[in-house]
Amino acid sequence: MRGSRGRVALLVVALTVGTADVARAATPERACTATRAAGDGPGTAAVRAAVRRMVPRLASCLTLRLTPARADGLDALSVRASRGRVLLRGSSRVALVRAVRVYVEDVLRGELSREARRVPSRALLPRRPLRRTSPYRVRYTNNFTVAGYTTPYWSWAEWERELDHLAYSGINAALVMVGQELAYYRTLREFGYDDREARDWLVLPAHQPWQWLGNHMEFGPAPSMSLMERRAELGRRIVRRMHELGIDPVIPGFAGTVPWDYVVRNPGSVAIPQIYLAGPSAPMLDPSTPGYAAFASRLYVHQNELFGRIDSRTVNVFHEESTPIALGGAAAVARTIERTLRDASPDYRWYLEGWKTVPGLVFPEQRGDLFETPPQAVLDVADRSRLMVVDLTGEAWKHRDGYGGAPWLRGVLTNFGGRRPLYGPLTQYAEQIPRTAADPARGAFSGVAITPEGFDTNPVVWSFLADLAWREGPVDAGAWMRARVRNRYGRDDPDAQAAWATILRTAYGRDNGQSGAYGGADSLLNARPSLTAVRSGSAAPNVLQYDPAELEGAWRRLLAAAPRLARTATYRYDLVDVTRQVLANRARVLLPRLNAAYAARDRAAFDRLSAAYLELFDLQERLLATSDGFLLGPWIAAARSWAESDAEAADLEFDARSILTIWAQRAGSVFDNVRIDDYANRDWAGMTGGYYRPRWAAYLQALSAELAKPLPADQATVTSRFDWWAIGERFSRDRTAFPTRPQGDPVAAARAVERALRTG
């Protein structure tokens, strides 16, 4: 997603926190005049290479030193002037790379972010030393789903940039899954499957996360041998670089899923049927039995052969499946999993995802028809010194007594499916995360985790959380935002500052929890057509959690800054993003009016409102097309770039399109009111004009035709005439090309929106 567009800078995020440090570092007295780097300390070669990639023009002025680890195990860094150079010190390689970011942003007022780097060419000496200590031993990132919703078709260039980004964000552990299919392929071959059978069971990259979670199987075309081998080589490079930078790679362990006929080919194995949200799923080998251990052990041998010895694995056999029969018991499951992990690495660490209770009948020890993830019985018997629970939403720990003494990380989950609404309650994060660290009931709280289902959305949230993870005291979100806006646009523009102050209070304001869902309310333009639609994807809020008129006022202030800021790439990106949200909010105003007009059988009003509703699509398509951060074309092009034939390119394109549309097979869910299609809907040019608008145009036309009749059909009857899943499948199999480069001017497009909304 973002990686495929990484060649063009999308945005720049300022990462200055707290006014005191800004004041100390804002007026450096001298400039570095060195022409070559001073001798670095031992163990810093990988950091020096990262410096050359990130800030090549400053590299000669930076001296790198690793300091002894602190007795408390916390990471620390410092930035200071020394003999006419800038001396960066860190207690780990990650801390040392983080020091580069502190220098660039707090001293030079430049910016380093995932999507862009704006680094002044003149190296200035800090006036006073800057110091940072992270109060969190583990700073983890990645949800399983990021590999499907953001990174499935990234190349090494995008991964290299991302790994630098993780390091200068201060992340020291991250989930990575690239290339795992080859390890599974080799293992399946050992257990009786030929080449074609093994590949047929595996899925293509955009759908793989759910296969490693144990949720999903056999959807879409099979991966080619060449694709698997090239992805495994990329995975090796990623893991090698993570080790060099001091980031602990976490890879998926064996969740137990195997082909349907596995027990027939391997007598004595015990498999349990699974049902997942998207329909029938792979059976699961009972982890309390020897059959599970046999497969897991061989899988881990192949993983170690392909990627080198990796100590940290995440094994989630308790995720979102619903099993109609009980396993042998949570304690037996835990012991078997631990034994296989220990055999793969004596220094193993077992990561488990912590989640709310979900439907199912898994262990006799659990109450009723709900089970906890992970089950308490697992935490009771496992070696807690080797566990790490990732509380994905940062909330389950409160109901689990801090996971009963097992080490755990407080996660922040800001979106489902990588959807794009502006959302992220920054002030709450600033209060809640430090409060968790100080809570007497926190148990073995060990750190923080940034766990959205997809990146490339709400970059302000990542930046804020990355800074928060390196602050020991409270953070004033308002002061942080003011510094960010000033650095981001290169000047202290009053309209931009006023706009972002309101955006912070509204879209990034406190989550009132009224919908009971995570993330922001997604765009109804992307919804399956219905005059009563309240959301587009499942697990989304039904209502906005702020006054849309306030956000629209902030947008107008941001647009007013265009004469002064329009040449700044980051301003143009932000203008597109905020304008996009304003259009989505207008859809929530128009749709109830359409519903009322249909109920009143007022065809003239209905047609007028239909035209206004469809105009929102046209305005948004033109707007999104101006920014490479909002294009479907690069997503498809990235998938096709991995192909070695036209047929394979078509397969990979189907994989990339279908994850955004139908997601998987047509089969319904066992859970009420859950639809998986449109779960990963996107506010992208190409999706808006090529997929969402045609659906709505056909639907509104059909309703208008009904109003011309003496007795119009009700909406449900009209809706039943449309097979939305089939429409999504046709789009997923279509091969229409979409632009891969921006077209048009974002300021002109935003002004067109302003005129339309003023007169509409």
Side-chain angles (χ1 to χ4, degrees), residues 96-116:
L96 194 52
V97 181
R98 174 71 184 179
V100 177
R101 186 172 187 167
V102 170
Y103 170 65
V104 168
E105 295 177 348
D106 288 10
V107 178
L108 303 184
R109 298 290 178 84
E111 297 175 309
L112 294 174
S113 69
R114 176 177 274 117
E115 292 82 7

Side-chain angles (χ1 to χ4, degrees), residues 182-197:
L182 186 57
Y184 274 83
Y185 170 85
R186 292 180 176 180
T187 306
L188 287 169
R189 294 299 306 273
E190 291 185 9
F191 284 88
Y193 291 83
D194 65 23
D195 166 73
R196 187 70 207 186
E197 291 167 335

Side-chain angles (χ1 to χ4, degrees), residues 282-296:
M284 172 181 174
L285 288 180
D286 186 337
S288 66
T289 65
Y292 170 92
F295 193 97

Side-chain angles (χ1 to χ4, degrees), residues 56-117:
R57 291 179 295 183
L58 305 179
S60 63
C61 278
L62 305 182
T63 302
L64 310 176
R65 294 280 192 276
L66 284 172
T67 60
R70 289 171 45 129
D72 59 9
L74 300 180
D75 259 342
L77 63 85
S78 65
V79 179
R80 67 181 180 87
S82 176
R83 300 179 181 179
R85 296 178 182 272
V86 181
L87 176 61
L88 306 180
R89 307 179 102 179
S91 57
S92 67
R93 292 190 295 280
V94 162
L96 194 52
V97 181
R98 174 71 184 179
V100 177
R101 186 172 187 167
V102 170
Y103 170 65
V104 168
E105 295 177 348
D106 288 10
V107 178
L108 303 184
R109 298 290 178 84
E111 297 175 309
L112 294 174
S113 69
R114 176 177 274 117
E115 292 82 7
R117 294 168 185 170

